[in-house]
Amino acid sequence: MKKFFYTLWISLYPILIYTFIQVVLAMVMAVFVVAAGVSQRSMTEIFTKNALPITAVSAVLASIFMILFFNLDYNKGRIERRENIKALDFVMAVLGGAGIAVVLNIIVSITNVSGLDNSFTEVSKIFNAGPAFVTILCAGVIIPIAEELIFRGLVFNRIKFQYNFISALLISSIVFGIFHGNLVQGIYATLLGFCLSYTYNKTKSILIPISIHFSANTFVIILGKLTENSESHVILAIIIIVSLIFAAVGIIYFVKRKV
């Protein structure tokens, strides 16, 4: 029982630190907005437009702590030594990440989960509130780095060190899904988490899941913008088919990759 609560604590506090930083930044912003005498309606619009940048800034600040914790765990032998990483690993991570993201979005669309989750609509508004390059920079680059350091670099590794790979894969992925706070993203993130944990365990390099996560988020954002501005179903079908091929190639590569 002592081992369980210890593992729970060391897996939970990195997430709490990240969440605490987000809350503090949001409160600081709220103080400035209230001091400026902004109306409640305008305040809601301001927070909607800046929710993603606030999360990105939180991710940067949290990453400082996570890198420190990661290095401490590595030096103490809690994290397995990195294997030889090849350029092809990164290529397959990027291609596979883009493909898997499309596959998971298709699964979510077919099951019509989004129709049961009103909170996902609010999240979508936040994602589409700012310019595309800001969304890509925040949600496609900065946030994935912090999340991989937390959920794969710390949570996954610590559970694996205390118990085993299967426990680490299942728990870290499910917690990763729950962390996103809504049903649609929760299912998506959990399934993506399985892929991220598996490839990380195979390569022992945190850079691989970061690359997959970066590719998945960025590709979905770009695809979303393209479908908004395009009425061609042929182009969309071609993109989906190519993405499915990328997903298959990436999955086969990492499954067959020797450790």
Side-chain angles (χ1 to χ4, degrees):
M1 207 62 179
K2 193 181 204 179
K3 180 180 178 181
F4 169 79
F5 284 111
Y6 174 72
T7 306
L8 178 64
W9 167 242
I10 62 175
S11 301
L12 191 59
Y13 79 73
I15 303 172
L16 294 177
I17 290 173
Y18 185 29
T19 305
F20 176 76
I21 293 173
Q22 289 184 38
V23 172
V24 169
L25 286 179
M27 290 176 64
V28 170
M29 183 177 175
V31 169
F32 279 104
V33 170
V34 171
V38 178
S39 65
Q40 187 174 354
R41 183 177 178 181
S42 299
M43 187 184 299
T44 303
E45 292 178 358
I46 290 171
F47 272 96
T48 300
K49 289 181 179 179
N50 293 282
L52 197 56
I54 288 174
T55 305
V57 173
S58 304
V60 172
L61 296 175
S63 294
I64 297 172
F65 294 98
M66 303 311 149
I67 291 172
L68 176 63
F69 297 149
F70 184 84
N71 286 329
L72 288 173
D73 283 1
Y74 188 82
N75 292 331
K76 290 181 178 180
R78 294 174 182 169
I79 298 175
E80 294 183 71
R81 298 285 174 179
R82 189 176 69 184
E83 301 292 333
N84 292 325
I85 302 300
K86 299 172 283 189
L88 188 59
D89 291 330
F90 289 99
V91 173
M92 289 298 159
V94 172
L95 294 180
I100 289 170
V102 173
V103 171
L104 296 180
N105 274 278
I106 291 173
I107 293 172
V108 171
S109 298
I110 291 174
T111 55
N112 195 31
V113 178
S114 57
L116 306 173
D117 188 3
N118 294 327
S119 60
F120 177 68
T121 304
E122 298 300 319
V123 174
S124 298
K125 288 180 182 178
I126 292 173
F127 266 79
N128 296 317
F133 78 92
V134 173
T135 305
I136 292 173
L137 178 63
C138 295
V141 180
I142 298 174
I143 295 173
I145 293 173
E147 289 184 348
E148 289 313 302
L149 285 169
I150 294 170
F151 290 97
R152 254 57 63 182
L154 296 176
V155 177
F156 171 83
N157 275 319
R158 289 177 173 183
I159 296 174
K160 181 184 174 184
F161 182 77
Q162 295 293 324
Y163 290 95
N164 52 60
F165 165 67
I166 298 299
S167 298
L169 182 143
L170 291 174
I171 296 172
S172 64
S173 300
I174 292 171
V175 172
F176 182 52
I178 294 171
F179 177 77
H180 283 75
N182 62 77
L183 184 61
V184 176
Q185 283 186 302
I187 294 172
Y188 176 92
T190 299
L191 295 175
L192 180 62
F194 292 145
C195 301
L196 295 168
S197 296
Y198 179 84
T199 53
Y200 177 49
N201 189 67
K202 209 68 181 289
T203 61
K204 305 297 185 295
S205 172
I206 195 65
L207 296 177
I208 297 302
I210 286 176
S211 299
I212 295 173
H213 199 159
F214 156 77
S215 176
N217 284 17
T218 301
F219 190 76
V220 167
I221 293 167
I222 294 173
L223 185 61
K225 296 295 182 181
L226 288 175
T227 52
E228 282 179 6
N229 303 321
S230 175
E231 296 180 356
S232 175
H233 296 293
V234 175
I235 295 175
L236 182 60
I238 293 172
I239 292 174
I240 290 174
I241 292 171
V242 173
S243 300
L244 292 174
I245 294 172
F246 285 168
V249 170
I251 290 170
I252 292 170
Y253 174 80
F254 283 108
V255 168
K256 290 190 172 184
R257 186 190 187 281
K258 294 182 180 180
V259 178

